[in-house]
Amino acid sequence: MRGWRAPVAGICFLPAAAVAGEARRTPFGTLPDGRSVDEVTLSSGPVTARILTWGALLRSLDVPDRSGKPADIVLGYADLKGYLDKPNYFGVSVGRYANRIRAGRFSLDGKAYTLATNDGPNALHGGREGFDKRLWTITDLSAGPAPSVTLRYVSPDGEEGYPGTLTTSVTYALDAAGTLTVTYQATTDRPTIVNLTNHSFFNLAGEGSGRSILDHVLTIPAERYTPVDATLIPTGELASVAGTPFDFRKPTIIGTRIRDGRDPQIVRGCGYNHNYVLTQAPTANTHPVARVEDPVSGRVLEMASNQPGVQFYTGNLLDATAVGKSGLAYRQTDAFALEPQLFPDTPNQPAFGSARLDPGATYRNVITYRFSTSPDLRSRNRGSAD
């Protein structure tokens, strides 16, 4: 796709065959009803990931900088209480339908369904108790060169208003080349809608660095995005990014246009909180989603997925009331989220495609997070970082 750029040469991580991976399960906490929450640690090469059974969430991700010093680059909490008291969707698996559905309503085969609304008039990320607020079960834990964990959650017919019993799994797999692959799959016993994704908040400088993501350099190889109304529901337009603050086809510093109040979409989103159009529909293989680079630490994140859209969000609602793992109060623009998925409100907008899943079919969303490092880019000019 036009505008995509190959990774900058820099420090390479070890090949997968060079280091044996580790997969370890330990207790993390107890829910108010007495159920136990476990944490799985996956280590391979220079990268370590920690996943909780609560919300099937990514709690931490340790990645080295250009000097080899690791730092945790995802927002989250030190204990279970934080995730229960002020979840903020940190690192979670979201569903049944990630993002927003207008008025919490949709129709399928002529029947109208009403969902729980939890974002003003709209349904967001599966409702009041979506998949992010459920205890998942570990079904597989494997060590070796690419350690992995698979978690499962069965959503009963009618949960949060959605039809059909949905059997969902997510696999986190980590290889020594510095790539974390997250694979969502789902099957149903009756027609339903599905849209799953991961909602990790990233700061490539480190979640405890005290630095914002405003100087991160972002590339999204999308020529169009979906503008939103006052409640952040897409208007139906597939608008060109050309000449707008939403144009990241070339590497651009995130902070350059994030407060451009001349654009009503920036005002509505309080910054970036919009879906980008990558393809017309899910693809058989993964395609580039985004590339993000922190010029100070040198950490580079390259994302790919088979999904047609990606929601770019700059943590606009973080208000310093959530205190993270390092004891810092998380604020607006302390992190970004890139969520590969179907377009928001697809069930109500046929031009966006289909979110339908039928019995006998399998929903699948594959997301890869590839990490590397780059040379020092601080000498580059502000704005476009060609």
Side-chain angles (χ1 to χ4, degrees):
M1 184 177 290
R2 187 172 69 86
W4 185 251
R5 170 174 291 188
V8 177
I11 299 173
C12 297
F13 293 160
L14 295 175
V19 179
E22 178 187 13
R24 180 168 46 91
R25 178 178 183 172
T26 55
F28 186 76
T30 303
L31 295 171
D33 62 9
R35 291 178 297 166
S36 297
V37 174
D38 288 343
E39 180 174 74
V40 170
T41 301
L42 304 178
S43 298
S44 188
V47 177
T48 298
R50 294 177 179 86
I51 298 100
L52 296 186
T53 54
W54 180 251
L57 68 86
L58 180 64
R59 191 179 79 87
S60 68
L61 190 60
D62 295 330
V63 177
D65 63 11
R66 67 166 62 91
S67 67
K69 182 180 179 181
D72 184 357
I73 62 167
V74 296
L75 271 55
Y77 297 109
D79 55 28
L80 182 60
K81 187 176 185 297
Y83 290 101
L84 299 179
D85 291 349
K86 204 167 186 65
N88 284 302
Y89 298 106
F90 290 155
V92 295
S93 296
V94 289
R96 285 189 193 190
Y97 198 93
N99 221 308
R100 292 169 174 84
I101 295 179
R102 182 189 299 274
R105 297 175 183 174
F106 71 97
S107 295
L108 196 63
D109 295 332
K111 182 176 180 179
Y113 293 92
T114 300
L115 309 174
T117 54
N118 60 326
D119 184 57
N122 304 317
L124 173 66
H125 292 330
R128 297 187 186 97
E129 294 189 34
F131 290 2
D132 59 299
K133 297 178 182 66
R134 304 291 179 178
L135 184 63
W136 295 54
T137 301
I138 295 175
T139 60
D140 184 74
L141 184 62
S142 301
S148 66
V149 60
T150 298
L151 305 99
R152 181 174 182 261
Y153 177 68
V154 179
S155 175
D157 181 28
E159 184 174 75
E160 294 292 304
Y162 291 90
T165 299
L166 192 77
T167 301
T168 306
S169 70
V170 57
T171 298
Y172 290 85
L174 179 65
D175 70 29
T179 299
L180 176 67
T181 300
V182 182
T183 304
Y184 292 97
Q185 296 191 100
T187 58
T188 183
D189 64 354
R190 58 182 288 204
T192 191
I193 61 171
V194 182
N195 186 31
L196 310 175
T197 195
N198 184 273
H199 203 298
S200 291
F201 285 80
F202 292 92
N203 184 324
L204 299 185
E207 66 86 27
S209 67
R211 290 178 45 219
S212 79
I213 48 87
L214 292 177
D215 62 351
H216 284 31
V217 180
L218 171 66
T219 308
I220 300 178
E223 296 186 358
R224 294 177 295 171
Y225 80 107
T226 53
V228 295
D229 66 16
T231 69
L232 302 185
I233 293 291
T235 62
E237 180 185 5
L238 302 180
S240 173
V241 300
T244 77
F246 297 89
D247 191 349
F248 288 94
R249 291 174 293 176
K250 294 182 179 181
T252 302
I253 294 169
I254 291 174
T256 302
R257 299 171 300 201
I258 195 172
R259 295 191 175 97
D260 187 350
R262 295 167 296 181
D263 191 305
Q265 288 295 311
I266 290 291
V267 176
R268 285 180 179 175
C270 300
Y272 295 108
N273 193 6
H274 295 75
N275 168 68
Y276 282 77
V277 179
L278 300 168
T279 61
Q280 294 299 316
T283 55
N285 300 313
T286 61
H287 49 260
V289 166
R291 183 179 187 275
V292 193
E293 184 173 347
D294 171 32
V296 177
S297 70
R299 292 187 184 90
V300 175
L301 166 60
E302 294 171 272
M303 290 182 60
S305 175
N306 66 331
Q307 295 299 291
V310 61
Q311 185 83 6
F312 174 46
Y313 176 53
T314 44
N316 310 329
L317 299 181
L318 297 178
D319 59 2
T321 59
V323 178
K325 292 168 281 189
S326 299
L328 296 182
Y330 294 144
R331 307 159 303 171
Q332 186 180 48
T333 69
D334 274 354
F336 65 87
L338 286 162
E339 309 154 55
Q341 57 188 271
L342 301 177
F343 301 167
D345 200 38
T346 287
N348 294 314
Q349 306 206 32
F352 285 0
S354 175
R356 183 186 182 108
L357 180 68
D358 288 313
T362 300
Y363 167 90
R364 194 164 181 259
N365 181 1
V366 180
I367 308 170
T368 61
Y369 306 88
R370 181 180 180 271
F371 297 98
S372 60
T373 57
S374 72
D376 193 335
L377 303 180
R378 285 173 287 181
S379 61
R380 291 186 175 182
N381 293 328
R382 302 295 294 180
S384 180
D386 290 302

